Amino acid sequence: IGDIEIRQANEEDSQPLFEWRNHPTIRAVSRNNAPIIWEDHQRWLSVVIDAKDRELLIGIISDQPVGVVRFDIEGEVAEVSIYLVPDGGFVGQGRNLLLRAELWLKANWPDILSIRAIVLGENQLSKNLFLGTNYHTHTNCYQKNL
């Protein structure tokens, strides 16, 4: 699955994670698309790193970060969130990153039986990623703004 290695994020990743998450292309496809302030990011990262039901992973190729994968664990299900490092030149590596992170999850959380991905309606790249890696549409949600 490519040359991507997976490692757990740590406090030293705080600054790049903050910059990546606030990048306009990442915010545009996030459930919370508002800019994140530094203090909130620091608190969030500390909670995620210490959480027993979350994994924050970074994919690496040749010592270069490729992307970020987060798994939120609830029972036998993990909800996945994924993005490539913006402007990193790793277009097309999303599939490899996801598959490598799934292998990491299976090795480190053997009780997980399924992975769920929630994708915003306009995010065609993520839809293609998940459908192209054998995820199946489970539920559709429709919303109308008034």
Side-chain angles (χ1 to χ4, degrees), residues 113-131:
L113 300 180
S114 65
I115 301 172
R116 172 180 58 230
I118 297 175
V119 178
L120 297 179
E122 308 81 35
N123 189 345
Q124 196 60 47
L125 285 175
S126 286
K127 288 179 188 178
N128 293 344
L129 169 66
F130 291 113
L131 290 173

Side-chain angles (χ1 to χ4, degrees), residues 3-138:
D3 298 328
I4 296 178
E5 297 176 23
I6 297 292
R7 69 167 176 80
Q8 291 176 299
N10 58 57
E11 296 287 345
E12 294 173 11
D13 298 309
S14 187
Q15 186 65 41
L17 285 166
F18 175 73
E19 292 170 9
W20 301 333
R21 172 53 185 83
N22 273 326
H23 193 279
T25 60
I26 302 304
R27 287 190 10 243
V29 294
S30 297
R31 283 191 229 171
N32 174 6
N33 60 9
I36 306 295
I37 62 170
W38 176 250
E39 292 77 15
D40 290 345
H41 168 74
Q42 288 289 85
R43 277 191 295 278
W44 172 85
L45 183 60
S46 180
V47 167
V48 169
I49 287 173
D50 292 339
K52 302 293 184 223
D53 59 351
R54 283 182 148 179
E55 294 289 352
L56 185 62
L57 309 172
I58 297 181
I60 306 287
I61 295 179
S62 301
D63 295 324
Q64 294 296 316
V66 174
V68 178
V69 180
R70 190 184 75 240
F71 290 110
D72 295 328
I73 314 286
E74 188 177 320
E76 298 174 335
V77 178
E79 184 174 313
V80 64
S81 173
I82 182 172
Y83 63 84
L84 293 175
V85 170
D87 303 327
F90 294 107
V91 173
Q93 287 293 332
R95 181 180 193 281
N96 292 335
L97 175 62
L98 178 59
L99 293 174
R100 190 59 82 179
E102 289 173 359
L103 289 174
W104 185 96
L105 183 69
K106 188 173 176 102
N108 291 277
W109 288 79
D111 293 339
I112 297 297
L113 300 180
S114 65
I115 301 172
R116 172 180 58 230
I118 297 175
V119 178
L120 297 179
E122 308 81 35
N123 189 345
Q124 196 60 47
L125 285 175
S126 286
K127 288 179 188 178
N128 293 344
L129 169 66
F130 291 113
L131 290 173
T133 50
N134 297 321
Y135 285 67
H136 303 283
T137 303
H138 180 70

